[in-house]
Amino acid sequence: MNDIELPPRRELPPELRARLRSDLRRGMFKEKRTRAKPLAAVAAAVLLFGGVAVGVHALRDEPGELISPAIPPGLHLDKPLAERTLDRCWNALRAEKKTGSYPKRSLWVPVFTKTDMGITVVAARANGKPLFCEASSTSVTLSDPNALLTMPGVALHADGYVVAGVADPEWGKVRLSVLPKAMPEPERSASVGETELGDGLFVILSPARLDERVVALLGKADGGLAPSPVSLTPPMITLDDKPAPGDRTVADAKFLGDCLRDAGVDTPGAETFEPGAKVTLEVPTAAAPPSITLNLMVGRNDRWFLACTTLRGGPMRNKPVEIADRPVTARFLGPSSTSESSKPAEFVGGVVPRAAAGVSVTVPGFPAVPAVVANGTFAAVLTKEMQAVAQIGSMTFKVTDAAGAVLHDGPAF
């Protein structure tokens, strides 16, 4: 009776596997459900598939056995950035003693990252459940992985600029639509913002304030976009997560603080930025006065850096840039730089190891330019000839410590 010969195991056709997985996930997120049904469905999936990712992901609790979601082509996942951001969210929860309602950190698996406007959003799955972590320079916001979500549904809405949640599994595209409440017809409104969509999760960063608006998600299914009005009051938690305040008593610190205060644009966590490299440049003019003095200082904390420059018309600061997990994080800085710091400008600067004592910058075709180095930051002046051809990706940076030992010699990334 024990010598039954079973037929050889066969892989399910890809289209059948995808359909079963979509049906399973749709059932897990229906608003009107009991606890028994989704667990039964997951258990059945485990038995049926012999370990398909969604079943294992939802039931197993050992981090070594987690299977990361497949990342669709074109979806962006900065794994080091995602892990750092998720660590920030977890540490903030732990500091507030609020980890009890979340799966343990080892079960958080990032799916993709979205970064813009000085914030980073990580779409992840925590033991199989959707989890979104939004981090600014001063706070973190987390969605509730145990929330009962409709599909489509919003799991996180932060600062009026971020909308993140779960999409209908049949959608291949998600757009955000907003309209004043006096005109509640979302199908006639314009879509706004940039969207990432993958593994049934979406993140939308929009320049539009979404408060007091009718908000709908437009999903592309069956060849068309159908509006689905959504609520922007999901269960989530926002926690302060500020670096320690920087010193403002010494002259350089006061210069940075005054410059950021008068720059005409709010800088979240301005008090946390410490003074770094400071450079001065005389720019000739065709009229009186014959030149303009630009005083630029790089400021940094443990997560971000920026530059603030004094001008005749008042100070101007560059957009804060997150410090990358590499030896050199560099951007163009100064009045001519765009908000994304991608256009060649009067200066190049950024962050290097705090042990750095010397930095030289090389633009192909030109001699190396020495940079001013202070407090783990650097700044170097670029001539007009250099600005005409300079690209961050083609520039090289040689970083040395006080003893002359080379800490890095190569591109910024």
Side-chain angles (χ1 to χ4, degrees), residues 308-357:
C308 198
T309 309
T310 57
L311 305 166
R312 283 190 300 178
M316 185 217 77
R317 75 152 171 83
N318 289 103
K319 177 181 176 180
V321 177
E322 187 161 17
I323 299 173
D325 186 19
R326 51 180 180 253
V328 178
T329 305
R331 288 293 186 273
F332 294 114
L333 306 171
S336 297
S337 178
T338 65
S339 60
E340 291 79 20
S341 301
S342 59
K343 180 182 178 182
E346 294 85 357
F347 309 91
V348 63
V351 174
V352 289
R354 290 188 184 269

Side-chain angles (χ1 to χ4, degrees), residues 151-213:
M151 297 183 69
V154 172
L156 182 145
H157 168 233
D159 295 330
Y161 294 105
V162 180
V163 175
V166 294
D168 187 298
E170 296 182 0
W171 285 4
K173 181 181 294 186
V174 179
R175 293 179 183 173
L176 179 67
S177 177
V178 297
L179 201 69
K181 287 189 175 181
M183 303 170 60
E185 298 181 54
E187 69 273 10
R188 295 185 181 180
S189 60
S191 60
V192 294
E194 296 183 2
T195 307
E196 293 281 357
L197 170 66
D199 194 40
L201 310 177
F202 70 85
V203 173
I204 302 173
L205 301 184
S206 168
R209 297 293 300 188
L210 305 181
D211 301 333
E212 301 300 321
R213 298 288 189 273

Side-chain angles (χ1 to χ4, degrees), residues 11-23 48-49:
E11 291 290 330
L12 288 172
E15 60 274 15
L16 177 58
R17 183 190 296 269
R19 182 166 60 82
L20 289 172
R21 182 172 178 176
S22 296
D23 291 343
L48 177 61
F49 298 132

